[in-house]
Amino acid sequence: MEATIASTLMNKYADVLILKGSEIWELIPILTLRQSLYTDPRKPQAVDPGIYEFGDVDENSAVLLTTNFSLTYYTVEGDLKSGDANCYLLVLDTVGKAVDVAIAGGQFDGESVADLVKETGIEDMVKTRKLIIPGLAAPLSGEIEDETGWNVMVGPRDSSAVPDFIDEKF
């Protein structure tokens, strides 16, 4: 009951809360609410754009592309780690928008991907010129190929299938 009242008071912008309970099961709901309560809903949560390495990468490793929307990034990251994938992940700055929303909003296009490829220096890290894009970005594959000069492979729509896709194609 105390957690429910504390959560209600937090939603009403209480300045101070004094709690009797000190057990972890009593505090988790309150701490979880506190983490996301004071974020700006007009600004999507985003990770830093750039290049990330997973596993033991080398010059023959796969190169994947995703957006910097935090939910998308952390889902892909978890799937790559759990699948023991060895790859580079390029994270495109889409102002914190998911793949489909960024495509519709114009933040995810061939020119921005080409700029990301140049900025990260991935061309100096790998011999292959194959870029795996998200399944939702399939309509942009030709545009990305034209702008980057890389061979674009359309990956699965669900990132949980990416490690198997990499094993099969690389």
Side-chain angles (χ1 to χ4, degrees):
M1 186 66 175
E2 185 179 45
T4 304
I5 294 170
S7 298
T8 303
L9 291 172
M10 286 174 65
N11 283 327
K12 301 275 185 185
Y13 303 107
D15 290 331
V16 176
L17 292 174
I18 299 173
L19 305 170
K20 288 183 183 177
S22 61
E23 296 292 323
I24 192 69
W25 60 268
E26 296 172 298
L27 298 175
I28 291 247
I30 299 166
L31 296 174
T32 302
L33 175 65
R34 183 182 169 275
Q35 285 179 330
S36 62
L37 187 64
Y38 298 108
T39 59
D40 185 352
R42 296 169 294 171
K43 183 178 181 221
Q45 298 298 308
V47 298
D48 293 330
I51 187 168
Y52 295 84
E53 297 178 3
F54 293 91
D56 297 323
V57 293
D58 60 18
E59 57 193 18
N60 297 314
S61 296
V63 180
L64 285 77
L65 177 69
T66 192
T67 64
N68 72 332
F69 177 50
S70 62
L71 183 58
T72 300
Y73 172 80
Y74 289 118
T75 301
V76 172
E77 176 192 45
D79 291 336
L80 292 175
K81 285 182 178 178
S82 68
D84 293 324
N86 298 315
C87 64
Y88 291 100
L89 179 64
L90 295 178
V91 178
L92 181 65
D93 185 5
T94 58
V95 196
K97 295 180 182 173
V99 174
D100 51 350
V101 178
I103 291 170
Q107 290 85 16
F108 192 139
D109 59 11
E111 186 178 339
S112 59
V113 173
D115 290 343
L116 179 65
V117 167
K118 289 177 186 147
E119 289 169 8
T120 58
I122 188 67
E123 293 176 314
D124 300 329
M125 298 176 179
V126 294
K127 285 183 180 178
T128 63
R129 293 295 181 254
K130 295 180 181 177
L131 179 64
I132 302 170
I133 64 172
L136 291 173
L140 297 177
S141 62
E143 180 184 345
I144 294 171
E145 278 187 352
D146 292 344
E147 292 288 335
T148 61
W150 284 45
N151 180 23
V152 173
M153 302 169 69
V154 177
R157 291 177 65 93
D158 183 5
S159 64
S160 64
V162 170
D164 292 335
F165 182 84
I166 291 171
D167 289 343
E168 181 184 314
K169 302 290 182 181
F170 283 84

